Amino acid sequence: RDIRSLYETACRIAVQDGNFSLAWVGGADGATGSVRPTACYGQGAACLEELAISVGDAPVVSNDIETDQRTALFREKAFELGFRSMASVPLFKGGTAIGAINLYSAEPGFFNDEETKLVESLAADISFAVESIENERLAKKADDELHLLQGLSISIRDAKDFHSALDVVITGLCKATAWTLGEAGKTPLA
C-alpha cells in the first residue's frame, strides 16, 4: 500500500462512479499552502497547473464557478473544460492539512448538502488511510531497526575482541544505511 496508489484509486472511482468530470488530489506546499497535483483522473487532467488552488482547514465548495469570486484564478480554464461547479476538501495527517481532494462537475449546483457531506466523508476516509499507511511505514521502520540492533548486539557479544566488534557494527550500519565506509565518516550527524 502506498499513498500515491490510494490517491489514484480515489480519483478514478470519483470520476467513474461519482459522475465527476475531473478528480485530482494534490499535496500542499508547507511554505505557501499551494496544492500541486499528485494524482488525477478525468477530462482536463493535462491542465491541472491552470486550476491552481490553496489548501485551508475547511472545504471550499463552488456551485457556480462563473460567479464565485473564489474561482477567479481558474474560471476561464474551468469553463473551457466544461466545469460549472467544484469542491476542494482538505486532507489531514496528524491534524495538519497536507493536501486536498478536488472534484469538478459539469453541472451547476451539483454540490447540494448531501453531496457535500459525501465528499467530506471521502476526504476523511482518505485522510484516515494516509495516516494508516504512514503508521505502517513507521512500524516497519522501527521493526527493521530493532532487528538490526538485535543482530548487531549478538555480533558484538560474539566478537573475539573490540576491533572485531567495531568492524561488525560499522559494516552492519553501512549495510542498513546503504553508505560506504568512506561516506559514513564524511556525513555530519543530525
Side-chain angles (χ1 to χ4, degrees):
R1 294 183 351 164
D2 68 277
I3 293 172
R4 184 179 192 89
S5 294
L6 168 70
Y7 290 167
E8 289 170 352
T9 301
C11 291
R12 181 181 47 77
I13 291 171
V15 171
Q16 289 179 344
D17 297 340
N19 296 317
F20 294 102
S21 302
L22 172 67
W24 66 278
V25 175
D29 178 310
T32 66
S34 64
V35 177
R36 294 285 169 233
T38 303
C40 62
Y41 193 88
Q43 86 181 48
C47 301
L48 289 181
E49 293 298 326
E50 297 176 56
L51 299 173
I53 66 157
S54 294
V55 69
D57 290 335
V60 174
V61 175
S62 174
N63 275 311
D64 186 2
I65 290 175
E66 183 176 23
T67 61
D68 192 329
Q69 292 305 310
R70 298 170 299 175
T71 64
L73 290 175
F74 59 86
R75 178 179 298 129
E76 188 176 320
K77 181 52 74 175
F79 258 63
E80 181 183 313
L81 294 168
F83 305 148
R84 298 300 179 262
S85 56
M86 59 83 61
S88 179
V89 184
L91 303 174
F92 294 93
K93 182 173 83 176
T96 301
I98 59 164
I101 182 162
N102 307 280
L103 304 164
Y104 295 81
S105 173
E107 181 183 327
F110 183 85
F111 295 97
N112 59 33
D113 288 344
E114 181 181 340
E115 195 66 38
T116 300
K117 286 178 186 170
L118 284 171
V119 172
E120 290 172 350
S121 178
L122 171 64
D125 290 345
I126 292 170
S127 295
F128 178 81
V130 166
E131 289 208 33
S132 294
I133 290 168
E134 182 65 14
N135 288 340
E136 285 177 14
R137 186 190 68 75
L138 291 173
K140 181 181 180 339
K141 181 180 177 202
D143 189 53
D144 291 348
E145 289 171 354
L146 178 62
H147 282 97
L148 172 65
L149 290 174
Q150 287 172 335
L152 290 174
S153 295
I154 291 168
S155 296
I156 291 169
R157 181 195 67 203
D158 295 344
K160 60 184 174 198
D161 59 32
F162 173 77
H163 292 290
S164 297
L166 188 58
D167 187 49
V168 165
V169 170
I170 291 171
T171 302
L173 291 175
C174 286
K175 281 183 184 177
T177 61
W179 286 353
T180 64
L181 185 56
E183 289 174 320
K186 294 177 186 173
T187 304
L189 298 175

